[in-house]
């Protein structure tokens, strides 16, 4: 394949690079790890004709539904759909969400061809209800396609991929919205500095993160997005999360210390990404992306599935105005003896996005319900997750997000044993703010994922649990942990409650909830959360109103 075979739609004055084609093992490579390294190193980035051949090979190998439209289908239907009308006069389908067709390095014929291909995709894929990345996807592939029909076939194969372990493109609003929530979860864990800035300057941080795919498929210059696309075709969706997180990190680094207005944050990020070549090269962007040590693909899919389930249970399945998540803590309805509205909103920005859809619900306070563990359990059991807040007599404030129902403690009889998942974390608010997450998140090398990804995912989907729950995200059984001290999340008996363990306890409270202690522990690798021994002034436990996972609230409208 030479330039004349695929360059018909390209404005060559805009297309950079493209040296002479060299022999590459990529065209015959069958080993995934080897191919992954080739893609990351840019083995087919220096020759347009080689990239075209590699794309053809990679897309041909995508496992697809039995009936997937091919080039001959396009030739059959294009005349009926377009007729004698000009493609530019035909409106694009609603599912592209008013996104403009990116021109990249296409000539005018190419831009018209993108529109025609999208219209034919709409005809052949009636189940697509929301897919704003489609114009960019078609435009990118058209640069390396000999004709419209071949581009249509390649896009169709990507859309028709039926490999559950290789998610490629969101095609419904539910999938799109849950991926935005998943990105928000990942940003909160892997970009804590940038995430803190987003929370500070935006009224609704998830509204900012809802643009994460647009940063890549709408704003990145061609030389950058095509390198991302090289890796995407090999590794799938996870690389998009990596690149968007890297963009967020670079934006924070460049803009640190500069004043920002909340109503311009989305625009500021878009402008930064559009002009990224002023400060970051494509290779530096990818280098940063791959230095982020993300969860395994299995864990990310479990998180995505949990987010989808939460949205479905909220009735959010089609495009609609989502509740302003950051304002889930309503000033007029919220009253705590420990934290202010602003502090609670900050805590809300740390919790998993699927729970941030809910409003806080006070379950227990020692001031109203009394100082005893039996009363604590009576009011907290049946609720999952919960948020524990403690104010000491020295006016220090600390707490913990607890992923699992306290009733789990009963499964061990009278024996004190630990339970919970890696979503638990501990924190302090006064005298200064600090959050400590599960040690495995920052040091994944301490707990390599256990088993094959597909087997674990399959068992997650076929979970025989009577509550029909997903295998929990960050469940300890998914990891080969070096010792139990890396997963001592929460434990409770009638004598005490403990949060975090191993060479100390992040939080210990006695049976009367009067006295406690705190120290470093292996599970969270935390510093003491307040004075190492303390007397309790106020304890509050908050649940999540209308959260479907919350047994006590599941009957609420």
């Amino acid at each position: 394949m030479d330039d004349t075979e695929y360059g018909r739609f390209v404005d060559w004055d805009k297309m950079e690079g493209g040296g002479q084609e060299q022999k590459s093992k990529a065209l015959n490579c069958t080993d995934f790890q080897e191919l992954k390294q080739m893609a990351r190193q840019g083995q087919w980035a220096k020759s347009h004709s080689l990239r075209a051949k590699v794309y053809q090979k990679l897309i041909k190998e995508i496992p697809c539904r039995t009936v997937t439209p091919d080039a001959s289908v396009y030739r059959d239907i294009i005349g009926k759909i377009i007729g004698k009308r000009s493609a530019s006069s035909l409106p694009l389908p609603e599912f592209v969400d008013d996104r403009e067709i990116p021109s990249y390095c296409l000539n005018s014929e190419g831009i018209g061809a993108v529109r025609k291909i999208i219209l034919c995709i709409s005809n052949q894929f009636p189940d697509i209800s929301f897919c704003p990345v489609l114009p960019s996807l078609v435009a990118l592939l058209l640069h390396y396609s000999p004709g419209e029909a071949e581009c249509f076939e390649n896009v169709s194969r990507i859309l028709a991929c039926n490999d559950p372990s290789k998610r490629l493109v969101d095609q419904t609003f539910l999938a799109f919205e849950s991926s935005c929530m998943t990105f928000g979860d990942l940003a909160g864990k892997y970009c804590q500095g940038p995430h803190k800035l987003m929370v500070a300057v935006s009224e609704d941080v998830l509204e900012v993160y809802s643009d994460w795919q647009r940063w890549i498929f709408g704003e990145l210059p061609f030389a950058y997005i095509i390198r991302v696309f090289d890796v995407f075709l090999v590794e799938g969706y996870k690389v998009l999360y990596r690149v968007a997180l890297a963009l967020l990190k670079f934006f924070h680094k460049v803009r640190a210390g500069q004043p920002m207005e909340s109503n311009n944050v989305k625009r500021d990020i878009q402008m930064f990404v559009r002009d990224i070549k002023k400060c970051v090269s494509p290779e530096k962007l990818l280098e940063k992306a791959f230095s982020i040590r993300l969860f395994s693909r299995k864990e990310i899919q479990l998180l995505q599935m949990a987010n989808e389930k939460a949205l479905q249970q909220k009735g959010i399945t089609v495009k609609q105005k989502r509740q302003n998540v950051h304002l889930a803590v309503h000033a007029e309805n919220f009253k705590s003896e420990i934290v202010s509205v602003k502090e609670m909103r900050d805590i809300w920005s740390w919790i998993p996005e699927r729970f941030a859809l809910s409003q806080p619900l006070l379950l227990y306070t020692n001031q109203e319900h009394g100082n005893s563990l039996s009363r604590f359990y009576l009011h907290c059991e049946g609720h999952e997750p919960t948020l524990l807040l403690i104010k000491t007599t020295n006016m220090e404030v600390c707490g913990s997000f607890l992923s699992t129902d306290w009733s789990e403690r009963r499964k061990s009889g009278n024996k004190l044993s630990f339970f919970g998942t890696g979503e638990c974390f501990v924190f302090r608010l006064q005298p200064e703010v600090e959050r400590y997450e599960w040690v495995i998140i920052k040091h994944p090398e301490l707990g390599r994922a256990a088993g094959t990804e597909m087997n674990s995912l399959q068992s997650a989907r076929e979970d025989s649990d009577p509550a029909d729950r997903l295998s929990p995200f960050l469940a300890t059984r998914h990891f080969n942990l070096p010792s139990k001290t890396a997963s001592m999340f929460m434990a409770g008996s009638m004598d005490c409650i403990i949060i975090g363990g191993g060479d100390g306890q992040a939080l210990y409270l006695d049976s009367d909830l009067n006295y406690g202690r705190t120290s470093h522990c292996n599970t969270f690798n935390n510093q003491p959360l307040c004075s190492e021994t303390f007397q309790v002034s106020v304890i509050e436990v908050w649940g999540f109103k209308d959260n479907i996972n919350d047994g006590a609230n599941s009957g609420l409208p």
Side-chain angles (χ1 to χ4, degrees):
M1 182 184 292
D2 59 33
D3 291 359
T4 58
E5 286 185 69
Y6 67 86
R8 159 184 169 195
F9 304 107
V10 174
D11 181 342
W12 289 104
D13 291 335
K14 296 179 184 176
M15 195 92 145
E16 298 175 3
Q20 190 171 359
E21 181 178 336
Q22 300 172 342
K23 287 188 178 180
S24 173
K25 290 196 294 183
L27 292 171
N28 301 309
C29 182
T30 55
D31 180 74
F32 173 74
Q33 290 300 329
E34 191 178 353
L35 199 59
K36 184 167 100 170
Q37 288 308 312
M38 289 181 188
R40 290 187 178 191
Q41 292 163 6
Q43 289 237 345
W44 50 87
K46 295 182 177 67
S47 164
H48 296 314
S49 58
L50 177 58
R51 181 181 264 144
K53 289 177 182 176
V54 174
Y55 280 10
Q56 193 62 30
K57 164 195 155 62
L58 294 174
I59 293 171
K60 195 166 279 187
E61 291 172 353
I62 293 174
C64 294
R65 299 196 287 261
T66 308
V67 181
T68 298
D70 58 15
S72 62
V73 170
Y74 182 84
R75 295 185 187 103
D76 288 342
I77 65 174
I78 184 65
K80 299 168 192 169
I81 291 172
I82 304 297
K84 294 181 179 179
R85 294 169 294 179
S86 164
S88 60
S89 67
L90 297 173
L92 289 175
E94 283 187 17
F95 65 64
V96 303
D97 195 35
D98 296 325
R99 294 291 168 88
E100 293 180 6
I101 294 173
S103 58
Y104 293 131
C105 301
L106 295 175
N107 57 27
S108 57
E109 183 185 3
I111 294 167
V114 172
R115 185 177 287 269
K116 290 194 282 185
I117 293 166
I118 291 172
L119 291 167
C120 288
I121 291 284
S122 176
N123 175 269
Q124 291 294 300
F125 289 83
D127 291 340
I128 296 179
S129 57
F130 195 76
C131 191
V133 305
L134 188 62
S136 183
L137 182 66
V138 175
L140 287 171
L141 282 171
L142 194 60
H143 290 74
Y144 299 97
S145 300
E148 295 172 16
E150 290 79 12
C151 182
F152 168 86
E153 178 173 325
N154 285 338
V155 175
S156 294
R157 291 191 66 82
I158 290 171
L159 293 171
C161 173
N162 63 0
D163 180 350
S165 71
K166 193 170 184 176
R167 185 162 168 268
L168 292 174
V169 179
D170 294 331
Q171 298 174 44
T172 65
F173 184 71
L174 180 64
F176 173 84
E177 190 74 355
S178 64
S179 76
C180 294
M181 290 170 64
T182 301
F183 178 75
D185 286 326
L186 296 176
K189 293 190 181 302
Y190 292 101
C191 298
Q192 290 193 13
H195 181 66
K196 186 177 179 181
L197 175 66
M198 293 301 110
V199 171
V201 301
S202 58
E203 288 190 350
D204 183 0
V205 70
L206 195 53
E207 185 65 25
V208 176
Y209 291 153
S210 68
D211 262 0
W212 78 274
Q213 290 187 30
R214 184 180 188 141
W215 303 341
I216 300 171
F217 286 107
E219 309 299 344
L220 268 183
F222 181 77
Y224 292 74
I225 178 61
I226 204 65
R227 281 293 289 118
V228 174
F229 201 68
D230 289 344
V231 188
F232 168 75
L233 284 179
V234 176
E235 298 187 36
Y237 205 89
K238 185 176 174 181
V239 72
L240 302 182
Y241 285 132
R242 286 185 182 278
V243 171
L245 290 171
L247 289 169
L248 195 59
K249 282 176 177 282
F250 278 124
F251 173 75
H252 178 246
K253 183 178 179 181
V254 170
R255 293 299 301 269
Q258 297 181 23
M260 284 203 295
E261 299 174 26
S262 61
N263 61 335
N264 286 329
V265 179
K266 289 180 70 167
R267 189 200 65 187
D268 287 350
I269 297 177
Q270 287 174 14
M271 294 297 292
F272 167 77
V273 175
R274 206 173 296 166
D275 297 332
I276 194 170
K277 62 184 178 184
K278 292 178 180 177
C279 54
V280 182
S281 69
E283 298 314 316
K284 281 287 183 192
L285 176 63
L286 288 180
E287 186 182 311
K288 174 68 79 176
F290 295 122
S291 72
I292 300 169
R293 303 165 81 179
L294 276 187
F295 301 129
S296 68
R297 185 177 283 106
K298 172 201 74 178
E299 288 300 328
I300 291 175
Q301 286 185 270
L302 287 174
L303 177 56
Q304 182 92 15
M305 289 157 65
N307 284 336
E308 281 198 17
K309 188 175 182 183
L311 287 168
Q312 283 177 314
Q313 290 162 340
K314 290 282 184 183
I316 300 174
T317 54
V318 296
K319 191 180 180 191
Q320 61 190 65
K321 179 65 177 170
R322 180 184 40 74
Q323 171 193 334
N324 187 324
V325 172
H326 187 68
L327 298 181
V329 184
H330 294 298
E332 63 272 19
N333 300 329
F334 178 76
K335 188 175 187 300
S336 166
E337 298 301 320
I338 300 178
V339 295
S340 66
V341 170
K342 181 189 180 305
E343 287 171 324
M344 194 61 151
R345 285 178 178 169
D346 287 341
I347 295 170
W348 231 241
S349 75
W350 297 339
I351 65 175
E353 295 286 2
R354 63 190 184 280
F355 304 123
L357 292 167
S358 305
Q359 294 176 33
L361 175 70
L362 185 61
L363 304 176
Y364 165 84
T365 169
N366 62 333
Q367 293 187 325
E368 182 180 339
H369 302 115
N371 281 64
S372 79
L373 270 177
S374 58
R375 301 289 292 172
F376 176 95
Y377 291 134
L378 176 66
H379 288 276
C380 297
E381 288 182 358
H383 296 266
E384 178 181 303
T386 53
L387 182 69
L388 172 68
L389 298 176
I390 300 168
K391 180 192 278 187
T392 73
T393 52
N394 290 333
M395 305 303 286
E396 301 158 304
V397 175
C398 60
S400 179
F401 173 79
L402 301 166
S403 65
T404 306
D405 191 331
W406 278 107
S407 64
E408 283 284 311
R409 68 191 176 85
R410 299 175 184 275
K411 292 184 178 179
S412 303
N414 294 323
K415 180 184 171 189
L416 186 73
S417 65
F418 284 88
F419 53 95
T421 72
E423 286 196 291
C424 293
F425 61 83
V426 295
F427 58 89
R428 65 167 173 256
L429 293 181
Q430 300 288 348
E432 69 279 328
V433 177
E434 192 69 54
R435 173 173 51 139
Y436 300 96
E437 297 195 278
W438 185 28
V439 65
I440 301 298
I441 291 172
K442 283 193 175 177
H443 299 282
E445 71 278 1
L446 297 178
R448 289 295 170 201
T452 65
E453 291 186 356
M454 273 317 298
N455 287 344
S456 302
L457 258 184
Q458 201 63 30
S459 66
R461 287 196 171 96
E462 296 170 2
D463 201 333
S464 58
D465 190 308
D468 187 32
R469 292 169 49 185
L470 294 168
S471 175
F473 172 57
L474 296 187
T476 54
R477 66 176 178 270
H478 300 166
F479 299 84
N480 290 317
L481 298 173
S483 70
K484 287 189 176 178
T485 64
S487 60
M488 300 172 89
F489 299 114
M490 50 192 291
S493 67
M494 296 312 295
D495 297 319
C496 65
I497 61 173
I498 298 172
I499 297 160
D503 294 334
Q505 295 152 350
L507 277 172
Y508 171 96
L509 292 170
D510 69 7
S511 59
D512 295 324
L513 301 179
N514 272 325
Y515 291 94
R517 59 178 181 261
T518 175
S519 65
H520 168 270
C521 77
N522 292 343
T523 300
F524 300 112
N525 192 28
N526 60 288
Q527 295 300 310
L529 303 178
C530 58
S531 301
E532 294 199 22
T533 59
F534 59 86
Q535 185 173 357
V536 173
S537 172
V538 186
I539 289 184
E540 294 175 350
V541 178
W542 293 82
F544 295 79
K545 190 175 182 181
D546 301 339
N547 173 32
I548 214 76
N549 294 323
D550 189 327
N553 284 329
S554 57
L556 291 173

